[in-house]
Every structure is written in structure tokens, then in C-alpha cells.
Amino acid sequence: MPARHKIKRNDPCPCGSGKKYKNCCMAQDKAEQSERVAWERAAQDMRLALIGFAKEKEFVQDLAAALGLFWQDRYTVETIHLMNVDESLRFFDWFAHDYTLAGKNLRLVELYRQQVADTLNEYEAAMLDGWIASLPGSAFIFEGTDAENRVILQDLFLPDRRVVVRDQAAAAHGEQGQILLARPLPERSDLRLYGATVVLPADEKDALETTIHQAQQIYLEEHPGTEMRHFMRDRAYLLTHYALEWADREQRPAVSADDPEAKGRGGQAVKKLIKWSQDRVQIK
């Protein structure tokens, strides 16, 4: 469909009807634009709300435990302020969507949905419901882009999960075979990557598969019969552990706090683990 953002009211409608734009598709285009903005605003607001909710006092102990678990004690509650923006987004994304809160048997996104149910508009409620029902983050093989410049990803551990997502950074910088540690979540009729994507080279595929499958076998000894998708939810932090250890092997600063030059560049690490600057919310 031709782009319509520069069409004037009295221009011929691009649909080819022969009518003026104002007498043809203008009303429909405005309605679609309004709907799109409403979904985008809901996504932005819910991402910010979950981060704010995670910082409430009742979750202090969970936050402390989660920081050590996710970052292998490279960050603690005393050093959380040293995380750069991408690291914060990746951590809080995992904390909200994968981490099970102590004593509640709920994830943060599920608890938030319960507590604010009466205050959500239809877009926010639908957004959270879609996120709650989604599969966990995983490791994906970058296969390329389609005709709409959407990114095609194949889950490395869930063979039936092949997704097409909208992500400008991945579309612009992705290379075939690269491994993306990412979380696709629904936004209206699309999937988008949330948090901050970690990119590993293609030649890490076999070692990553071996590491995760070995961890799964140990997990199954204590939790026999657990499906792979549930294991990936419960042990999603192992993907970050692998990435941190890979950075150590490559002699890269795995986290911003390890980069001696970061302070002079606003906390951005040299050859930082999280490679792409994606669309993101502001961490406060």
C-alpha cells in the first residue's frame, strides 16, 4: 500500500478510487493511526509500570536474590546503580517475566495484572494478557528479514517456535546465523523484541546447546517430566550466564561495571555484551 503520511486532503486517494482523499480513505487511515498509537502507548506504559512495580519495597528481598542469580553476583543491590541502561532493561525484563516471586508462586507481570486489573484500559489489559500467555525468552538463530523488513528468528531450544518480529536494530545489524538472546512479545498484531538483545556469534551455537541441554538433564532429575518451555522459563537466567562467560573468554567487559573506561563514556562498556541499541523505555 502506498505511503499516505504526506497526502493532502484534496489529493486523489492513493487507493485508485478517483475520489479525493478526504472523501475516501482519510477517515479510515486516521482511525488506524489512532488505534496504532493507542497500542504503542499501552506497550510503553506497561513496560514502565512493570519496572516501577519491581522497585517497590515489598520486592526488595526478591530483587536482591534475583540480581545475584541473574548476574552471577556481578551486580548486587549495593551496585545496581552501576548497571547501564541496556543491562537494566535486560535484567528487569527477566525479573518481570520469568522470575518467580518468593512465597507467591507468581511472576511479577502476573501479580501486577492482578493488582491493577480495575485500573487498566482495554489496550493495557490486552497487552498484559498477551505478555503473560507468551513463551519465555530464549536463544534464537537469526535467519534474515522478510519483504516488510521484519526479522525471522528460529528458537534454538523450541523447534516449533519460528517467529517474525519487528525490530529496527536487529533488521539493520543482524547477520545470518547469529544467536540472539531475546524475548519476543506481542504488541497488537505484531511481535517485538523486549528488554535488550544480547548477540552471540554463530559459532557459539553448539556450545550453547550443549550447556543448556546439560542443565536440562540435571533439572529433570529433580523435576521429571518438565517440558522444555517450562524449563526455559525457570532457568532463563542460564542464557545470560553463558553470555557472561563467553564475554570473559573473549576478554570483553561482560558488564558495564567491569569496564574501566565506562565512567568516561556515560556507562557504556567497550565491546559491550548487549550489542544493539533498541527501542527502549527510560529507566528511572
Side-chain angles (χ1 to χ4, degrees), residues 14-77:
C15 74
S17 67
K19 299 178 181 179
K20 291 182 179 180
Y21 182 51
K22 67 180 180 181
N23 296 324
C24 193
C25 291
M26 187 174 77
Q28 178 182 340
D29 284 354
K30 285 188 173 182
E32 290 177 355
Q33 181 182 14
S34 178
E35 183 82 355
R36 183 173 61 254
V37 169
W39 281 105
E40 290 173 353
R41 181 178 295 117
Q44 177 84 349
D45 290 347
M46 291 302 94
R47 291 162 72 188
L48 284 169
L50 283 172
I51 293 171
F53 189 56
K55 293 181 177 180
E56 292 190 2
K57 289 183 179 180
E58 66 176 297
F59 305 121
V60 169
Q61 291 184 345
D62 283 297
L63 190 64
L67 278 167
L69 180 61
F70 187 79
W71 291 116
Q72 294 182 313
D73 294 321
R74 299 175 194 232
Y75 287 115
T76 65
V77 288

Side-chain angles (χ1 to χ4, degrees), residues 22-284:
K22 67 180 180 181
N23 296 324
C24 193
C25 291
M26 187 174 77
Q28 178 182 340
D29 284 354
K30 285 188 173 182
E32 290 177 355
Q33 181 182 14
S34 178
E35 183 82 355
R36 183 173 61 254
V37 169
W39 281 105
E40 290 173 353
R41 181 178 295 117
Q44 177 84 349
D45 290 347
M46 291 302 94
R47 291 162 72 188
L48 284 169
L50 283 172
I51 293 171
F53 189 56
K55 293 181 177 180
E56 292 190 2
K57 289 183 179 180
E58 66 176 297
F59 305 121
V60 169
Q61 291 184 345
D62 283 297
L63 190 64
L67 278 167
L69 180 61
F70 187 79
W71 291 116
Q72 294 182 313
D73 294 321
R74 299 175 194 232
Y75 287 115
T76 65
V77 288
E78 288 77 24
T79 60
I80 189 173
H81 63 283
L82 296 177
M83 289 195 298
N84 65 24
V85 174
D86 288 325
E87 291 167 347
S88 294
L89 286 174
R90 182 158 180 80
F91 169 75
F92 282 110
D93 170 74
W94 167 79
F95 186 56
H97 293 280
D98 292 329
Y99 182 84
T100 300
L101 298 168
K104 293 184 173 63
N105 199 30
L106 288 172
R107 293 176 287 143
L108 192 86
V109 63
E110 294 171 327
L111 183 62
Y112 179 77
R113 177 69 174 89
Q114 289 182 7
Q115 293 192 4
V116 300
D118 295 337
T119 68
L120 300 172
N121 63 38
E122 61 177 306
Y123 299 101
E124 294 166 343
M127 188 73 65
L128 287 176
D129 289 341
W131 293 354
I132 289 169
S134 294
L135 290 169
S138 189
F140 295 88
I141 304 299
F142 184 97
E143 294 188 345
T145 56
D146 66 7
E148 296 182 35
N149 207 34
R150 298 177 301 178
V151 177
I152 305 168
L153 302 175
Q154 173 62 55
D155 194 316
L156 188 57
F157 301 109
L158 299 173
D160 294 335
R161 188 186 188 189
R162 188 171 183 263
V163 297
V164 179
V165 303
R166 293 194 183 277
D167 189 275
Q168 292 181 353
H173 304 295
E175 300 174 6
Q176 190 169 15
Q178 281 181 324
I179 302 166
L180 277 59
L181 308 186
R183 183 186 309 280
L185 287 177
E187 186 176 309
R188 196 185 181 186
S189 58
D190 290 323
L191 287 176
R192 297 187 183 274
L193 298 185
Y194 278 66
T197 297
V198 169
V199 184
L200 299 176
D203 58 13
E204 290 296 316
K205 174 178 176 292
D206 291 344
L208 176 57
E209 280 188 301
T210 298
T211 298
I212 296 301
H213 285 305
Q214 287 177 344
Q216 182 193 21
Q217 292 306 309
I218 295 171
Y219 185 89
L220 288 173
E221 292 176 4
E222 297 182 5
H223 310 276
T226 301
E227 295 181 15
M228 186 63 174
R229 61 192 179 99
H230 295 306
F231 163 76
M232 290 300 294
R233 173 81 74 194
D234 202 34
R235 292 294 187 268
Y237 57 84
L238 293 177
L239 295 173
T240 295
H241 290 185
Y242 184 91
L244 293 171
E245 290 157 9
W246 168 80
D248 290 339
R249 294 198 310 270
E250 294 293 310
Q251 297 185 330
R252 298 176 177 228
V255 296
S256 184
D258 291 341
D259 180 6
E261 300 181 33
K263 292 182 180 179
R265 295 191 315 281
Q268 299 300 314
V270 177
K271 296 182 179 179
K272 62 186 179 182
L273 180 60
I274 296 172
K275 187 172 182 180
W276 298 327
S277 295
Q278 296 166 279
D279 295 338
R280 59 197 189 184
V281 297
Q282 183 177 359
I283 303 292
K284 296 181 179 180

